[in-house]
Amino acid sequence: MTNKKDLSERDICTKFITPALEQAGWDMQKQVREEVSFTDGRIYVKGNLSVRGKRKRVDYILYYKPNIPVAIIEAKDNTHSVKAGIQQGLDYATILDIPTVFSSNGDAFYEHDRTCSDGNIEREIGLNQFPSPEVLWQRYKHYKGIETNGAERISAQDYFF
């Protein structure tokens, strides 16, 4: 057995985070996107030279339905603490307007619930305690102020181009 501390961030995702998502009922094909770049990076100009900064890339975005992102997960390798990625995830969640952020190093998840729907803003949860799509959808609705069945029907409606 390999020492968990020797695994890369990608190995932590594959061996620990993805199985935890599957166990919680997430559809890896339809509800989960991995390594999502969402900015091109800032352009820095000095004199007549310009260079582009690093792109922002989130490790996982979880979707209740297409185009309804409900959570972000930032992964770190196991030499980092379980909550090492939480600030980076919160920065991304603010930009993308996503209510729940998780960080994981493969030992557990550290959760930051911007909705504070159950009175806990931050807490550590086990790998086998990751919330289901339905739980995160309820939080999202609370966060967005979706309170009636009609509002939910409209917000969760599938739409096609």
Side-chain angles (χ1 to χ4, degrees):
M1 174 82 185
T2 314
N3 183 344
K4 200 188 270 188
K5 300 262 185 239
D6 296 333
L7 297 176
S8 69
E9 181 180 298
R10 189 79 324 247
D11 285 334
I12 295 294
C13 291
T14 303
K15 293 175 175 25
F16 299 98
I17 297 174
T18 297
L21 294 176
E22 291 171 332
Q23 180 192 349
W26 290 89
D27 182 327
M28 297 306 294
Q29 301 303 312
K30 295 179 181 168
Q31 295 181 299
V32 179
R33 288 190 55 210
E34 296 181 60
E35 297 189 327
V36 182
S37 292
F38 63 91
T39 67
D40 286 334
R42 193 179 251 152
I43 296 175
Y44 298 94
V45 178
K46 186 169 186 170
N48 59 1
L49 298 174
S50 67
V51 65
R52 192 174 282 283
K54 279 181 66 174
R55 298 171 74 156
K56 293 190 185 305
R57 192 182 83 215
V58 64
D59 293 312
Y60 291 84
I61 299 181
L62 307 183
Y63 295 84
Y64 181 69
K65 286 187 144 195
N67 298 312
I68 302 180
V70 294
I72 283 176
I73 303 173
E74 266 308 301
K76 295 295 176 196
D77 66 40
N78 198 253
T79 62
H80 290 84
S81 75
V82 70
K83 60 178 164 178
I86 207 75
Q87 189 57 56
Q88 183 181 1
L90 284 170
D91 293 345
Y92 296 166
T94 300
I95 294 166
L96 298 170
D97 196 24
I98 295 174
T100 308
V101 177
F102 297 90
S103 174
S104 182
N105 64 356
D107 288 340
F109 287 101
Y110 194 78
E111 173 183 45
H112 183 102
D113 176 6
R114 295 170 70 203
T115 70
C116 194
S117 55
D118 68 357
N120 292 319
I121 294 176
E122 291 192 343
R123 65 184 178 152
E124 189 171 307
I125 59 174
L127 289 174
N128 63 347
Q129 295 175 298
F130 197 84
S132 69
E134 204 51 49
V135 167
L136 292 184
W137 172 238
Q138 295 307 319
R139 268 192 212 168
Y140 178 88
K141 288 192 312 183
H142 177 79
Y143 178 72
K144 293 288 189 176
I146 300 168
E147 295 165 5
T148 65
N149 288 339
E152 179 176 355
R153 233 184 354 267
I154 290 166
S155 65
Q157 192 170 48
D158 290 327
Y159 59 93
F160 304 93
F161 294 100

